[in-house]
Amino acid sequence: AHFLLVGDGVQRTVVEAEVRRKGLSGAFTFTGEVPFSDVPHYVGAATLCVVLLRNQLGRGYGCSAIKLFEYLACGRPVVLGCNIATDHDVVSLVRDTDTGESWSLVGQEEEDARILSGKILALLDDPERMRACGIRGRELAISGHTWRHSADQTLGFLGELLGITPQGRRLPRRRAAEAEPALSASPA
């Protein structure tokens, strides 16, 4: 396998140094920061994509799984490891939709590395499943995980809050007041 790490960040130099220390430089390419418009080309060049969502800093809150949905939208099977809250239960999402392989990170680096490599190899050993995972992933991303979908959900929520219909008409006062208790009853 050859690993393509696209982007930049605070851990890049640490990861590059570890790759050199282990004598694996020939198996990795680090692109550094690339223009956002070029990202789909890099994702499209991948056979599969890896997403690791880890709570490294002891924070008690989640993060965005946007990379997962970008990879799925590009029709790539994913290998996902996660140990933090996200907007979705992404481990179950990947497993239940068979868009790749997923697991809840155990928090022990060697064990997670062993699981990660096993899941990557399981996909690479089954090209037909990888193709099917990519198709299902793209369909999933397009059907409900686009920027348009997120915007529509946000506008719908704000419309309910303000008592405005999607067509821009104000709802009768009682309807707007009815929406308020429902919002406070929903967990964030």
Side-chain angles (χ1 to χ4, degrees):
H2 188 88
F3 295 89
L4 176 64
L5 279 74
V6 179
D8 208 351
V10 295
Q11 291 295 313
R12 179 177 170 199
T13 56
V14 173
V15 173
E16 285 180 315
E18 186 67 10
V19 165
R20 281 191 304 275
R21 185 183 75 73
K22 291 187 174 187
L24 297 171
S25 295
F28 283 81
T29 297
F30 294 86
T31 67
E33 186 175 345
V34 299
F36 185 72
S37 60
D38 290 349
V39 171
H41 300 292
Y42 285 98
V43 175
T47 304
L48 63 85
C49 297
V50 175
V51 181
L52 297 174
L53 301 174
R54 299 182 297 165
N55 182 353
Q56 294 177 302
L57 304 175
R59 296 181 178 140
Y61 53 87
C63 70
S64 170
I66 191 167
K67 283 182 187 167
L68 169 65
F69 295 107
E70 289 174 337
Y71 297 160
L72 294 174
C74 288
R76 293 297 171 255
V78 296
V79 175
L80 170 96
C82 180
N83 74 349
I84 55 178
T86 64
D87 293 341
H88 308 278
D89 178 3
V90 291
V91 172
S92 295
L93 177 76
V94 170
R95 181 190 62 236
D96 296 347
T97 58
D98 194 21
T99 52
E101 294 281 336
S102 65
W103 84 104
S104 295
L105 293 168
V106 296
Q108 297 172 345
E109 195 170 310
E110 287 183 19
E111 178 66 9
D112 282 325
R114 185 189 64 71
I115 294 169
L116 172 62
S117 63
K119 292 193 178 286
I120 289 172
L121 291 172
L123 280 174
L124 290 175
D125 285 343
D126 193 346
E128 184 54 35
R129 178 169 175 239
M130 284 199 338
R131 188 187 70 69
C133 287
I135 290 169
R136 281 189 295 273
R138 178 147 174 80
E139 290 170 355
L140 175 70
I142 290 172
S143 71
H145 299 282
T146 64
W147 284 113
R148 169 64 67 193
H149 185 260
S150 294
D152 288 346
Q153 281 185 315
T154 301
L155 290 174
F157 172 79
L158 292 173
E160 275 189 50
L161 185 66
L162 300 172
I164 300 172
T165 67
Q167 295 79 23
R169 295 188 306 264
R170 283 217 171 264
L171 295 172
R173 264 191 152 348
R174 63 179 172 75
R175 176 80 188 273
E178 291 169 3
E180 194 171 2
L183 294 174
S184 62
S186 300

